[in-house]
Structures are given as C-alpha cells and as structure tokens.
Amino acid sequence: MNRGRSKQVTHILRAPLDNHILEQLSAGDEVLVQGTVYAARDAAHQRMAAALEAGEQLPFDINGQIIYYVGPCPAPPGHVIGSAGPTTSSRMDVYTPPLLARGLKAMIGKGDRSQVVKDAMVKYGAVYLAAVGGAGVYLARRIISVETIAYPELGPEALLKMELEDFPCIVAIDMRGNSVYRTWTG
C-alpha cells in the first residue's frame, strides 16, 4: 500500500562530488555511497578547525568530499572495522561552515542540523545524508577498508579514510535547504 508516498529515487554517490550531481538530489531520496569517505567526530573536527584557524592545510583535500560522523568500535577478528553507526551530527555544527566554505560537499550522520549549517549548505552547495542510527553492525559491513590518516592519538576519533560499498543513506537536507525533518515532524 502506497499511503500517498511516491517511490523514492536511489542515487549512487561517489566523491568527488560537484553541484551538478548534488542538484539532482532531493530531501527524502535514497542514496548509496560508494568509494572514498572520510570519517571524523568531535575531536578530529576540533583539530581540523584549529588547523584552518592557524592557516595550515587539512590532512586531506576536502574539495568535493564526504565526511561520515562516526567513531567506530575496534575491529573484531576477520573484519576491517567494528560497529560503525552514525553519531549525532549537531555536535559538529560549530565546525561545519568553515569546512563547507573550503569545498566539503556532503556529510553523513544522524539528527537535524542547526540553521547556521543549513544556511551554509545552501550557500556553498552541499547535502546532508542521514544513516540509520542503531544499525552500526549492518553499516560496518558496507565499509571495505579503513586507514588512519591523521590524529592517531585520538583512537576511535582519529581522522579515517574509508572505502564504502553500497552504504545506504537518505538525503536528509538537500542543497536547496529542503529537509526531511521539517517534512516528517510537521
């Protein structure tokens, strides 16, 4: 039974992303993320913000890239990573606008974003993708390799380079500012 909902379009996203790709996405669309994604949480974001404020380069070229807000569990034997579910994105909101200004094109996490971040997404042309919270073990199976590229002393909050395969997300906020959170919550 359809219940008035139209079928969602599934898109394949692979960085580097550009506005032409992102313009095709609407809030509520299903996406499968493929290829390289960078993983960072609060502590790594704080370090990146400090580097930018000091006029230093980031540990990776952020232009067109995707950041996944995750602090994965240690990998059990025979796996590349442990449980790797999304963390609450609003904790990164203070650090996000400067990264968007430097070319970050997509973020993966859970929960709504601040108005400041939404405005910066519209200004710089970026999208916010939601992954299912509580599905960390399932999502970990979609991560085929992991490499620490910066801040190893932060442990699970180090900056990671991940390779993803068919990583499922929903476009939570599109580059025009449309949000599933407004749609679903009234």
Side-chain angles (χ1 to χ4, degrees):
M1 181 181 221
N2 191 322
R3 297 187 190 220
R5 288 184 238 156
S6 60
K7 178 167 175 18
Q8 301 303 318
V9 176
T10 300
H11 301 271
I12 306 295
L13 293 183
R14 180 182 297 275
L17 301 171
D18 62 29
N19 285 358
H20 174 71
I21 293 166
L22 299 181
E23 287 169 351
Q24 299 172 37
L25 302 177
S26 296
D29 284 355
E30 297 172 359
V31 299
L32 294 173
V33 180
Q34 309 280 1
T36 301
V37 168
Y38 295 89
R41 280 182 44 159
D42 315 46
H45 274 78
Q46 186 176 24
R47 296 267 182 100
M48 290 189 290
L52 291 175
E53 287 176 20
E56 300 169 1
Q57 295 292 320
L58 293 175
F60 68 102
D61 181 3
I62 198 166
N63 193 39
Q65 296 303 318
I66 303 167
I67 292 181
Y68 180 25
Y69 302 142
V70 60
C73 293
H79 296 272
V80 298
I81 197 166
S83 182
T87 196
T88 303
S89 301
S90 61
R91 296 194 333 241
M92 271 54 73
D93 282 359
V94 67
Y95 309 113
T96 301
L99 298 176
L100 293 169
R102 284 164 179 80
L104 177 65
K105 287 296 181 183
M107 301 144 291
I108 302 171
K110 69 178 182 181
D112 203 359
R113 305 305 300 267
S114 70
Q115 191 60 50
V116 170
V117 170
K118 292 174 190 174
D119 292 344
M121 289 171 56
V122 170
K123 179 177 181 179
Y124 298 112
V127 298
Y128 172 55
L129 307 173
V132 177
V137 172
Y138 171 78
L139 294 171
R141 292 186 209 144
R142 304 293 184 210
I143 300 170
I144 57 176
S145 71
V146 178
E147 173 189 358
T148 300
I149 62 166
Y151 323 127
E153 66 280 6
L154 298 178
E157 290 206 30
L159 181 60
L160 307 173
K161 180 179 179 181
M162 299 178 161
E163 295 299 320
L164 307 184
E165 184 173 82
D166 294 335
F167 191 92
C169 297
I170 296 169
V171 178
I173 304 170
D174 63 30
M175 69 182 293
R176 293 169 294 284
N178 301 311
S179 170
V180 297
Y181 297 104
R182 274 185 282 189
T183 303
W184 292 346
T185 60

